[in-house]
Amino acid sequence: MTATPDLYVRDLHGSLQDPVLGSIGFLNEVMGRYPDAISFAPGAPHPEFVRDLDTRVLADRFVAHLVADRGLDPARAERVLYEYGPAQGLINGLVAQALSGDQGIHADPREIIITVGAQEALLLTLRALFRHPGDGDVLAVVDPCYVGITGAARLLDIPVVPIREGAAGLDIDDLAARCGEARREGRRVRACYVAPDFANPGGARMPLGPRHRLLDLAAREDLLLIEDNAYGFTAPEDDTLPGLKALDTRRRVIHVGTFAKVGFPGARVGYAVADQRVGHPDGERLLAEELADLKTMVTVNTAPLAQAVVGGLLLDHGRSLTALARRKAERYRRNLDCLLDALDRHLADGLPPGIAWHRPAGGFFVRVDLPVPADINLLEVSAAEYGVLWTPMSQFSLTGRGDRQLRLSCSYLDPDRIETGVRRLATFLRKEAVA
Amino acid sequence: MTATPDLYVRDLHGSLQDPVLGSIGFLNEVMGRYPDAISFAPGAPHPEFVRDLDTRVLADRFVAHLVADRGLDPARAERVLYEYGPAQGLINGLVAQALSGDQGIHADPREIIITVGAQEALLLTLRALFRHPGDGDVLAVVDPCYVGITGAARLLDIPVVPIREGAAGLDIDDLAARCGEARREGRRVRACYVAPDFANPGGARMPLGPRHRLLDLAAREDLLLIEDNAYGFTAPEDDTLPGLKALDTRRRVIHVGTFAKVGFPGARVGYAVADQRVGHPDGERLLAEELADLKTMVTVNTAPLAQAVVGGLLLDHGRSLTALARRKAERYRRNLDCLLDALDRHLADGLPPGIAWHRPAGGFFVRVDLPVPADINLLEVSAAEYGVLWTPMSQFSLTGRGDRQLRLSCSYLDPDRIETGVRRLATFLRKEAVA
């Protein structure tokens, strides 16, 4: 462009040199260069669910609810869509009803904040909990981990401690060991991010016993758990487990959720349940109220129009997230079955040794172990010569863990594309994944 | 609530003990307690402008544009509303056309980022420009100042240096002095926030000469100017001044704007023009692209539905912000005239000495000087006994400046309410504003 740059990246915030921030852009860039490749990379929702959405009808539904259930006069209710609204949100009552009926999370609407997707909820929660850089407080995350939490921590200069991953996801013994280690070094594990149900990218589900053990550890070590529930809805309806927040009798859990997967991504509506009591010199407030104060300086409020559309979706489905998610959950379980079945058939034999894949019971993601590094170079070969894209697991790691793994996502593909994609993947692996 | 809090505010991020974060909530709380008072407090847009908005029609307009002008097939274009979109935005091209035609800001769409209101643009800009707390970089702001910038700086632990306010807004000599002072102390004024047109809360407009002097100072001191243009549209059409960005030949200005006032607040759509070239070891990027990377960890992207509605508004008004804002600008100028006229009539005589008011040529805000502290106690008296609300100017100050001033906002009131409100204000001042 110019002879001399106006600025140098080394003179900007350090996060801009951290690969975690560029990871999403990088995958989009690769996908853009290979438009004919079948992509198992994005965890985006399936497009069929947005075909019959009518945002005007949904927003009208919410306006009618404001009139009928909350006593607003019709002109005032209509204006709610267009004016500034409260930082804490407009649909907190509907979300509270849904969480109570569906997930056994019994929260007062004042204990909830509505955010611009789960991402803003994660950022606000981290901002509230971490006092200032260099004070010794650290965030624990399972490694590999969803980039949204490590990226948000990076933006706020919050140090992150990676925790080992076991078959059940987060390794609780390792978390306990890291807490002790931090204490001995004069630091403190202030919070731990955990997605107990089919985490992105790991895919594991934490059984009930470890959930209780994790809550006990949090109480013992005086740390807070940030629970991300994005994929819990994909569990079979006869095989669900209570979330950490539903089991949380000691207010140790901040529960973060999103409508991106059960509603639609373009709404950018998420929420946090933050019922912790915060002591002030002159009384008490709720942590959700503190998060709302922080939000006034990030996005002011969540677009009322988007909240109204999501509110309309909840009203149309009996104020139930489960009902809203049912058809989607079925589709994603079917896609996951297709993917696992295709892997079984196409990768059954003739493969180099050292290739294996995991069998999650839900979620969007399947991991495949390779005998060779699953890096950017291999991805380019896969895209250019075999027409199939995936995500290197190392993109999610702070420590290089998973450098011989790739992540397959099946959420937005149709079964015939999954079949063709796995066939291409099998050819690719047979030729290229040779140690 | 409980006997023992779960957390203590002293153990949370320091911003939560800073009055700047609570200021918006505080005013809403006072307004809530006095629903019958006439409030000159909020700078919210007038409700008449949302009465005839049809978001479905506007979004359809944008979808048709994607098909006609950008060659998307209709099903794909419709899906843009509901799916994840690029972090940098969907309507950058329309915003670039509007800025070029209306304001003489000639930016490539890639030099623009669409954000969740101007607030997110301010936060992202600060995050990019400030490396880490304690490195000696400071942000300069005029004092008193819009709380959105000082609050965002507080969230990121960025130190703020107050700059004196003169009749033309920011006192450029004082800024130059503070730059020199910082340099001598081993610190650096990295950026300066400035709203040259009818700033909130000051109301001043910076003349053309000082605009050029400020740009020269920025080049000389190697600092960046963050220009907030929220109120520029209220200038009379035959009496506009070029913004700093339109005059910026050296890429010293990051220009931040919002559709909250010219479109509608509930959309939560704003933007930044950040055309600075950023040198990387392996090439160059645009600052707007860096801001987009940061945005992936704050809100991921701006709700496509909201962007589509704003895009529809621009298309409906010949891709012109000026055309979109015309009717609103007329209404606000009329309101300001009403307010100044009512002050002239009702405060003409019989007032205690030391009361005076300023006469801005645009914007939403009029300042009134009092001979006594304009504090929270006086506001309570005004609300409870005289039925009129205003904002203490000290809410906007880092240094207690303006402790004997109040801010009147006239944007969302009708002329008859302005008249009644000023009559009440006059009675209040006669009885209570006595030194």
Side-chain angles (χ1 to χ4, degrees):
Chain A
M1 300 185 217
T2 46
T4 309
D6 305 306
L7 299 164
Y8 291 91
V9 68
R10 62 173 184 270
D11 204 30
L12 301 180
H13 188 252
S15 58
L16 289 166
Q17 290 179 279
D18 194 302
V20 71
L21 253 77
S23 59
I24 293 171
F26 163 75
L27 285 175
N28 288 338
E29 186 268 325
V30 176
M31 282 177 67
R33 280 193 287 120
Y34 300 103
D36 296 328
I38 292 177
S39 180
F40 290 107
H46 194 279
E48 79 167 347
F49 299 118
V50 302
R51 268 178 216 141
D52 44 5
L53 282 174
D54 187 326
T55 53
R56 182 68 242 178
V57 169
L58 290 166
D60 285 348
R61 182 82 210 256
F62 179 71
V63 169
H65 153 75
L66 291 179
V67 174
D69 299 345
R70 297 197 6 213
L72 271 68
D73 76 73
R76 180 79 204 85
E78 176 76 18
R79 268 178 22 217
V80 165
L81 301 189
Y82 302 109
E83 299 189 344
Y84 290 110
Q88 211 174 326
L90 291 169
I91 58 171
N92 310 47
L94 291 173
V95 172
Q97 288 173 334
L99 290 173
S100 176
D102 296 330
Q103 300 185 30
I105 297 174
H106 306 296
D108 188 272
R110 292 183 311 121
E111 295 167 345
I112 294 171
I113 178 171
I114 309 298
T115 52
V116 181
Q119 187 60 39
E120 192 194 25
L122 295 176
L123 185 88
L124 296 174
T125 301
L126 291 182
R127 177 65 309 172
L129 295 184
F130 287 80
R131 287 169 300 185
H132 46 79
D135 73 349
D137 281 2
V138 300
L139 172 71
V141 304
V142 69
D143 186 60
C145 184
Y146 173 53
V147 296
I149 187 76
T150 45
R154 188 69 193 79
L155 235 63
L156 299 174
D157 295 306
I158 294 169
V160 174
V161 171
I163 306 297
R164 215 166 35 219
E165 190 182 30
L170 183 82
D171 181 328
I172 296 168
D173 293 332
D174 194 47
L175 174 61
R178 296 286 86 73
C179 287
E181 187 179 274
R183 209 173 32 246
R184 286 190 297 277
E185 293 169 356
R187 294 179 296 123
R188 171 173 74 150
V189 176
R190 169 62 153 161
C192 176
Y193 169 85
V194 57
D197 293 285
F198 321 118
N200 176 15
R205 177 157 64 156
M206 186 180 282
L208 190 58
R211 290 180 195 229
H212 283 293
R213 280 185 58 217
L214 181 58
L215 288 162
D216 290 343
L217 176 67
R220 205 163 59 239
E221 292 285 351
D222 190 21
L223 65 84
L224 289 150
L225 299 172
I226 303 171
E227 177 184 37
D228 184 341
N229 187 42
Y231 302 98
F233 75 98
T234 61
E237 279 189 52
D238 58 356
D239 181 28
T240 58
L241 284 174
L244 293 169
K245 190 66 198 166
L247 301 169
D248 177 30
T249 55
R250 289 161 287 193
R251 290 195 292 268
R252 283 281 149 197
V253 179
I254 296 150
H255 178 90
V256 172
T258 175
F259 288 95
K261 273 90 185 174
V262 302
F264 63 103
R268 305 302 308 125
V269 176
Y271 53 88
V273 181
D275 58 356
Q276 286 73 20
R277 274 63 176 155
V278 179
H280 283 247
D282 55 353
E284 282 189 2
R285 298 183 77 207
L286 292 161
L287 184 59
E289 295 171 320
E290 309 282 2
L291 298 180
D293 276 1
L294 294 172
K295 183 174 164 68
T296 62
M297 300 306 167
V298 177
T299 59
V300 185
N301 54 33
T302 306
L305 185 61
Q307 291 188 71
V309 170
V310 166
L313 280 171
L314 281 173
L315 289 163
D316 267 356
H317 291 84
R319 307 183 186 211
S320 161
L321 284 160
T322 306
L324 173 58
R326 186 164 291 131
R327 207 159 54 90
K328 298 185 176 71
E330 283 163 9
R331 147 72 77 173
Y332 295 130
R333 284 195 294 272
R334 202 163 59 237
N335 273 12
L336 186 59
D337 287 345
C338 283
L339 175 58
L340 290 169
D341 177 64
L343 289 168
D344 286 342
R345 283 183 288 105
H346 292 293
L347 278 67
D349 45 41
L351 281 180
I355 294 181
W357 57 97
H358 299 246
R359 306 193 72 85
F364 288 7
F365 309 107
V366 170
R367 285 195 287 177
V368 182
D369 299 325
L370 303 191
V372 297
D375 58 15
I376 288 168
N377 295 330
L378 196 67
L379 177 61
E380 287 280 353
V381 171
S382 180
E385 298 177 29
Y386 301 90
V388 62
L389 284 164
W390 36 266
T391 310
M393 204 63 165
S394 54
Q395 294 246 331
F396 303 98
S397 179
L398 301 162
T399 61
R401 272 179 203 148
D403 63 330
R404 295 181 173 218
Q405 279 190 336
L406 54 86
R407 188 195 76 171
L408 302 177
S409 170
C410 60
S411 55
Y412 94 124
L413 295 173
D414 286 318
D416 62 320
R417 297 283 284 173
I418 293 174
E419 178 71 19
T420 309
V422 172
R423 201 180 305 128
R424 293 181 186 181
L425 186 76
T427 310
F428 157 72
L429 292 174
R430 243 174 233 119
K431 300 251 177 97
E432 308 289 345
V434 183
Chain B
M1 299 186 217
T2 46
T4 310
D6 305 307
L7 300 163
Y8 291 91
V9 70
R10 63 173 182 270
D11 203 31
L12 301 180
H13 188 253
S15 59
L16 289 167
Q17 290 179 279
D18 194 302
V20 71
L21 253 77
S23 59
I24 293 170
F26 163 76
L27 285 175
N28 287 338
E29 186 268 324
V30 176
M31 282 177 67
R33 279 193 287 120
Y34 299 102
D36 296 328
I38 292 177
S39 180
F40 290 107
H46 195 279
E48 80 168 347
F49 299 118
V50 302
R51 269 181 215 138
D52 44 3
L53 283 175
D54 187 327
T55 54
R56 182 68 242 178
V57 170
L58 291 166
D60 285 348
R61 183 82 210 254
F62 179 70
V63 168
H65 154 75
L66 291 179
V67 173
D69 299 345
R70 301 207 351 223
L72 271 67
D73 76 72
R76 180 79 204 86
E78 176 75 18
R79 266 176 26 215
V80 165
L81 301 189
Y82 303 110
E83 298 188 345
Y84 290 109
Q88 211 174 327
L90 290 169
I91 58 171
N92 310 48
L94 291 174
V95 172
Q97 288 173 335
L99 289 172
S100 177
D102 297 329
Q103 299 186 31
I105 297 174
H106 307 295
D108 189 272
R110 293 183 311 121
E111 296 168 343
I112 293 171
I113 178 171
I114 308 297
T115 52
V116 180
Q119 187 60 39
E120 192 193 26
L122 295 176
L123 185 88
L124 296 174
T125 301
L126 291 182
R127 177 64 310 170
L129 296 184
F130 286 82
R131 288 170 301 185
H132 45 80
D135 73 349
D137 281 4
V138 300
L139 171 72
V141 304
V142 68
D143 186 59
C145 184
Y146 173 53
V147 295
I149 187 73
T150 45
R154 189 68 193 81
L155 234 63
L156 299 174
D157 295 306
I158 295 169
V160 174
V161 172
I163 307 296
R164 215 166 34 218
E165 189 182 31
L170 183 83
D171 181 329
I172 296 169
D173 292 331
D174 193 47
L175 175 61
R178 295 288 85 74
C179 288
E181 188 179 272
R183 207 170 37 244
R184 286 190 297 278
E185 293 169 356
R187 294 179 296 124
R188 171 173 74 151
V189 175
R190 169 62 153 160
C192 177
Y193 168 86
V194 58
D197 293 287
F198 321 118
N200 176 16
R205 177 154 64 156
M206 186 180 282
L208 190 58
R211 291 180 196 228
H212 283 293
R213 280 186 56 218
L214 181 58
L215 287 162
D216 290 343
L217 176 67
R220 203 164 60 240
E221 292 285 352
D222 191 20
L223 64 84
L224 289 149
L225 299 172
I226 304 171
E227 176 183 39
D228 184 340
N229 186 41
Y231 302 98
F233 75 99
T234 61
E237 279 188 52
D238 59 355
D239 181 27
T240 59
L241 285 173
L244 293 168
K245 189 67 199 166
L247 301 169
D248 177 30
T249 55
R250 290 162 285 194
R251 290 196 292 269
R252 283 281 148 198
V253 178
I254 296 150
H255 176 91
V256 172
T258 176
F259 288 95
K261 272 91 185 173
V262 301
F264 63 103
R268 304 303 307 124
V269 176
Y271 53 89
V273 182
D275 58 355
Q276 286 73 20
R277 274 63 176 155
V278 180
H280 283 247
D282 54 353
E284 280 189 2
R285 299 183 76 208
L286 292 161
L287 184 60
E289 295 171 321
E290 309 281 2
L291 298 182
D293 276 1
L294 293 173
K295 183 174 165 70
T296 62
M297 299 306 168
V298 177
T299 59
V300 184
N301 54 33
T302 305
L305 185 60
Q307 291 188 71
V309 170
V310 166
L313 280 171
L314 281 172
L315 290 162
D316 266 356
H317 292 84
R319 307 183 187 212
S320 161
L321 284 160
T322 306
L324 173 57
R326 186 164 290 129
R327 207 159 54 89
K328 297 184 177 71
E330 283 163 8
R331 146 72 79 173
Y332 295 130
R333 285 195 293 272
R334 203 163 58 238
N335 273 12
L336 186 59
D337 288 344
C338 283
L339 175 58
L340 290 169
D341 177 65
L343 289 168
D344 286 343
R345 283 183 286 105
H346 293 293
L347 277 65
D349 45 41
L351 280 179
I355 294 181
W357 57 98
H358 300 248
R359 306 192 71 85
F364 289 7
F365 309 106
V366 171
R367 285 196 287 178
V368 182
D369 299 326
L370 303 192
V372 296
D375 58 15
I376 288 167
N377 295 331
L378 196 67
L379 177 60
E380 286 281 352
V381 171
S382 180
E385 297 178 27
Y386 300 90
V388 62
L389 283 164
W390 36 266
T391 311
M393 205 63 167
S394 54
Q395 294 246 331
F396 303 97
S397 179
L398 300 161
T399 61
R401 271 177 203 150
D403 63 329
R404 296 180 173 219
Q405 277 189 338
L406 53 87
R407 187 195 77 172
L408 302 176
S409 170
C410 60
S411 54
Y412 93 125
L413 296 172
D414 286 319
D416 61 322
R417 297 283 284 172
I418 293 174
E419 177 71 18
T420 309
V422 171
R423 200 180 305 127
R424 293 181 186 181
L425 186 76
T427 310
F428 156 73
L429 291 174
R430 243 173 235 119
K431 300 251 177 98
E432 308 289 345
V434 183

